[in-house]
Amino acid sequence: ECLKAPLPPDYTEHFDSNDRIFYYNATTRTSTWIHPLESLYRDTYKEIRTFRNQTEMTAQEQLDKLYELRDQVAKCERQVQRAMKEWGEHTDSGGQLFYYNKRDGKSYWTDPRPPKFALYALKQKTLKICAQHAGVPLSSLQEPSDDEQDRSLPQRPSAPPQAATSADRGEDTLPPGQGRRIRGARQAAATSEWREGGGAPL
């Protein structure tokens, strides 16, 4: 499930010379064999396993934990709603699609919203599994009111720095002998990087 999760906007997926998948971070210019969200999925699994194995947990302690999980779900929901309001799709002068945040002025070639959606769904799943284990209906866990207000002001969109050239959007490669970009529908969603790629992890 983790390997199917969307990548954060700074990351792209690649093959090395032995057809092994690795992930490159264009901001830090580093690469890794591990999916950037793997630790999140591992921590979620541990959280569910710990909840199930706490046989000495009282009913009140279970309920307190469920409320804590409920609050995490509510926080993720607010982040998703905020992302939907703040991020918009735009095109640069060359017709290249990019994503611009009207609040902080940041822009990416890759849509930064899907990872937030994935985190929200993961938190919802965790709450559902734990609530079922405790025998507590989800309807009994009232969500807190959202009193946050959107105070952002619109700004003129600007494309990310060092916009990709037409050559970059072609059959671009990493440094010789160090890997090639993944092609196909899944990577097409990530769009091209605006910085030169790095090699596979040593």
Side-chain angles (χ1 to χ4, degrees):
E1 186 176 358
C2 171
L3 295 178
K4 297 179 182 179
L7 292 171
D10 290 342
Y11 281 88
T12 48
E13 198 175 63
H14 305 267
F15 280 130
D16 71 354
S17 57
N18 294 319
D19 284 340
R20 295 175 299 180
I21 293 177
F22 68 94
Y23 306 93
Y24 175 72
N25 186 312
T27 301
T28 62
R29 303 181 68 83
T30 58
S31 50
T32 176
W33 300 114
I34 302 174
H35 191 287
L37 298 184
E38 180 174 323
S39 60
L40 175 63
Y41 279 79
R42 287 184 181 274
D43 291 344
T44 300
Y45 172 74
K46 290 178 181 178
E47 188 171 27
I48 294 174
R49 185 178 60 182
T50 299
F51 186 88
R52 286 175 166 176
N53 292 339
Q54 290 289 345
T55 56
E56 297 181 359
M57 221 178 200
T58 66
Q60 183 59 50
E61 288 173 337
Q62 286 185 331
L63 193 58
D64 290 343
K65 180 61 179 179
L66 291 176
Y67 277 125
E68 179 184 333
L69 293 173
R70 184 279 317 270
D71 292 344
Q72 293 177 12
V73 171
K75 179 180 179 180
C76 287
E77 183 178 9
R78 290 193 295 269
Q79 291 175 343
V80 166
Q81 292 174 346
R82 189 180 302 118
M84 292 299 295
K85 292 179 181 179
E86 294 178 355
W87 288 96
E89 295 184 0
H90 302 272
T91 54
D92 65 6
S93 57
Q96 175 81 1
L97 181 67
F98 69 93
Y99 301 86
Y100 175 78
N101 187 304
K102 64 181 181 180
R103 182 179 63 85
D104 57 22
K106 291 183 179 179
S107 52
Y108 291 103
W109 297 115
T110 306
D111 191 345
R113 295 169 294 185
K116 296 184 182 296
F117 303 155
L119 175 59
Y120 177 45
L122 190 61
K123 291 296 183 181
Q124 282 185 312
K125 183 177 181 179
T126 303
L127 175 60
K128 181 179 180 180
I129 292 175
C130 291
Q132 287 177 342
H133 177 77
V136 177
L138 288 176
S139 58
S140 67
L141 301 173
Q142 298 180 359
E143 296 185 358
S145 60
D146 183 5
D147 57 358
E148 294 186 4
Q149 299 180 0
D150 182 6
R151 301 178 182 274
S152 59
L153 296 176
Q155 299 179 13
R156 182 179 179 180
S158 59
Q162 302 180 19
T165 64
S166 57
D168 292 330
R169 293 192 290 269
E171 192 64 36
D172 56 326
T173 60
L174 297 172
Q178 295 190 26
R180 57 186 172 80
R181 289 287 299 275
I182 288 181
R183 310 298 293 177
R186 184 163 60 139
Q187 184 62 18
T191 69
S192 59
E193 299 171 298
W194 65 85
R195 292 189 175 92
E196 294 181 357
L202 298 177

